[in-house]
Amino acid sequence: MGINNLIREVGRISAFVVFLVLLKTSVIDFMVVSGVSMSPYLSDGELILVNKTAYGILNPFSDGYIVRCRGVEPGDVVIYPMNGRYVVKRCRGLEGERVEVSSENGYSLKVNGESFPLSETEYRHYKDVKAVPENMFFAVGDNISYSVDSRDYGFVSLENVRGKVFKLKKR
């Protein structure tokens, strides 16, 4: 193989690697679930597909979107970074939706017609909140007893959503 053929081959391989990196960072990704916070919908060790274009075109070089085409909807299972790792949770309330916090019969928070239990600390954090703030959403794991979610760390910025999660069918 001559030097020109070698240079062409290295160029092709490099272009393919760049294509794969852009595909993974901006379009589609596969990940493995770690934990039980989304059980029974997602199981620990299960392979998921992340559609990174579901809400727009992500900027592969920084946080946020280059273009947004649609918004997160209640019930969507999304992925976003939190405390240095990616988490998967279900959207339970969107910006502007009314939030009701109660201390009757234990602590609870109601958003979008659903009630979620709170600890006393979480209750104190949310007791004066009347609505989901602008450009934010309320995210909760399906396995509420084993989920660290918006009840613990607050509302999540819509700009932080990195994609919509889809369950891959088991064989």
Side-chain angles (χ1 to χ4, degrees):
M1 183 184 292
I3 189 74
N4 286 338
N5 287 340
L6 180 62
I7 290 171
R8 262 187 253 136
E9 193 61 29
V10 168
R12 284 188 200 128
I13 291 171
S14 298
F16 184 69
V17 168
V18 167
F19 170 76
L20 288 178
V21 168
L22 286 174
L23 188 69
K24 182 173 175 46
T25 59
S26 301
V27 179
I28 196 165
D29 200 357
F30 294 92
M31 296 181 170
V32 176
V33 174
S34 174
V36 297
S37 73
M38 285 301 294
S39 178
Y41 179 67
L42 297 173
S43 303
D44 186 34
E46 188 170 349
L47 184 66
I48 57 173
L49 172 97
V50 179
N51 179 355
K52 294 185 175 185
T53 61
Y55 304 112
I57 300 171
L58 284 169
N59 185 338
F61 305 108
S62 68
D63 291 339
Y65 288 82
I66 296 170
V67 175
R68 273 212 177 257
C69 62
R70 65 180 282 259
V72 175
E73 297 176 13
D76 284 358
V77 177
V78 297
I79 188 166
Y80 54 89
M82 182 56 61
N83 299 325
R85 55 183 277 197
Y86 283 99
V87 296
V88 174
K89 302 294 178 200
R90 190 175 301 276
C91 173
R92 297 295 190 178
L94 292 172
E95 60 184 338
E97 290 184 343
R98 186 172 173 206
V99 173
E100 297 174 44
V101 182
S102 174
S103 61
E104 294 178 24
N105 300 323
Y107 302 108
S108 66
L109 177 145
K110 190 177 206 177
V111 64
N112 202 18
E114 273 187 275
S115 186
F116 304 96
L118 298 175
S119 69
E120 185 176 353
T121 302
E122 293 163 347
Y123 168 78
R124 283 196 304 264
H125 175 77
Y126 280 105
K127 72 178 182 174
D128 297 323
V129 174
K130 302 296 180 207
V132 177
E134 188 176 339
N135 296 318
M136 305 290 267
F137 70 102
F138 188 73
V140 180
D142 288 358
N143 190 354
I144 202 140
S145 299
Y146 295 96
S147 181
V148 175
D149 47 44
S150 284
R151 295 170 300 154
D152 302 290
Y153 46 71
F155 298 105
V156 179
S157 169
L158 290 165
E159 283 298 307
N160 285 345
V161 173
R162 292 286 151 257
K164 187 172 182 178
V165 173
F166 294 92
K167 179 179 181 151
L168 295 175
K169 296 199 182 229
K170 294 183 181 180
R171 296 178 198 217

